[in-house]
Amino acid sequence: AVNKILFAIKANEEYRWTNDVVFALAMVQTEKTREFLRGKYDIPAIRGAVIIALSQQPVEQDREKFRAGLKSSQFEVIESSLAALAKLSPKKTAADVVALVQLLRRLRADEQDYRLREQAIRLLRRATDQNFSFVFGKEGFTPQSKVVGSWTGWAVAEFPESKEQLLGGNSEDLTRLRE
């Protein structure tokens, strides 16, 4: 069935991609289908589905895609990206840390987002050996703004070149805002 789908796609340059097609191709995880899906990552309508499909068997070459998935507005894409990053070796790079801290900063105060926050904190702790007294489990289902602020401050100090990414704007904008 996958070969028939691939044949139909190759025969039609105007093939209409859907998430269902991506997930059908992902059912058979071969290097051929994975490479094919990687090539479709730049199609915005199916990017989330591609990330989810690649996260089933994460490899280092897709790390950037998983980091990008952390910026998604779709819970499933964020969750899959976090799970994929957890299976890869930890990296204490500006790109990884900033993506995780940005995610922490934008998560809301609901139970679904608390689970994502816990996963992000686990990845940060594993990669950085830092601990800012985050409370896991039901007791931790509060915004924990102080902990998120601590992670943000640490990341800004560790990766000063990423300050604008982490805090938004620049110091001139902040000064104008305060005025």
Side-chain angles (χ1 to χ4, degrees):
V2 168
N3 285 333
K4 286 185 179 190
I5 292 172
L6 288 172
F7 181 78
I9 291 168
K10 289 177 182 174
N12 181 359
E13 288 183 25
E14 308 261 330
Y15 191 84
R16 187 167 181 272
W17 280 91
T18 66
N19 290 344
D20 290 335
V21 171
V22 171
F23 294 136
L25 290 174
M27 288 176 141
V28 179
Q29 288 279 335
T30 67
E31 192 50 43
K32 180 180 177 182
T33 57
R34 292 177 63 75
E35 204 50 49
F36 194 78
L37 289 173
R38 279 185 194 103
K40 302 306 173 192
Y41 174 81
D42 290 328
I43 301 173
I46 60 168
R47 182 172 294 139
V50 169
I51 291 169
I52 292 170
L54 293 174
S55 74
Q56 293 172 7
Q57 292 179 16
V59 294
E60 189 62 38
Q61 82 180 80
D62 296 324
R63 181 182 291 272
E64 186 177 329
K65 291 172 180 59
F66 302 137
R67 279 194 310 254
L70 299 179
K71 295 180 181 179
S72 176
S73 60
Q74 299 173 310
F75 176 83
E76 296 82 8
V77 175
I78 298 169
E79 185 177 50
S80 295
S81 296
L82 287 167
L85 289 168
K87 291 177 185 173
L88 298 176
S89 62
K91 298 268 184 185
K92 185 182 170 183
T93 64
D96 279 15
V97 171
V98 167
L100 289 164
V101 172
Q102 284 177 322
L103 175 62
L104 288 180
R105 290 175 56 84
R106 74 179 177 87
L107 290 172
R108 298 178 316 257
D110 62 37
E111 190 167 329
Q112 190 175 39
D113 281 4
Y114 290 138
R115 288 194 334 238
L116 294 176
R117 186 174 292 125
E118 284 187 351
Q119 290 174 290
I121 291 288
R122 282 188 176 92
L123 288 172
L124 282 166
R125 289 172 73 177
R126 183 179 80 155
T128 66
D129 292 326
Q130 298 297 310
N131 181 1
F132 296 108
S133 302
F134 182 81
V135 179
F136 290 93
K138 285 281 188 194
E139 300 80 35
F141 282 9
T142 63
Q144 298 193 51
S145 305
K146 191 174 183 178
V147 173
V148 173
S150 295
W151 274 107
T152 304
W154 178 87
V156 167
E158 189 74 15
F159 305 106
E161 70 281 3
S162 302
K163 181 178 180 179
E164 288 182 27
Q165 278 183 283
L166 287 162
L167 301 177
N170 58 38
S171 56
E172 272 182 30
D173 293 339
L174 186 58
T175 302
R176 278 200 314 245
L177 179 63
R178 285 182 179 144
E179 288 172 0

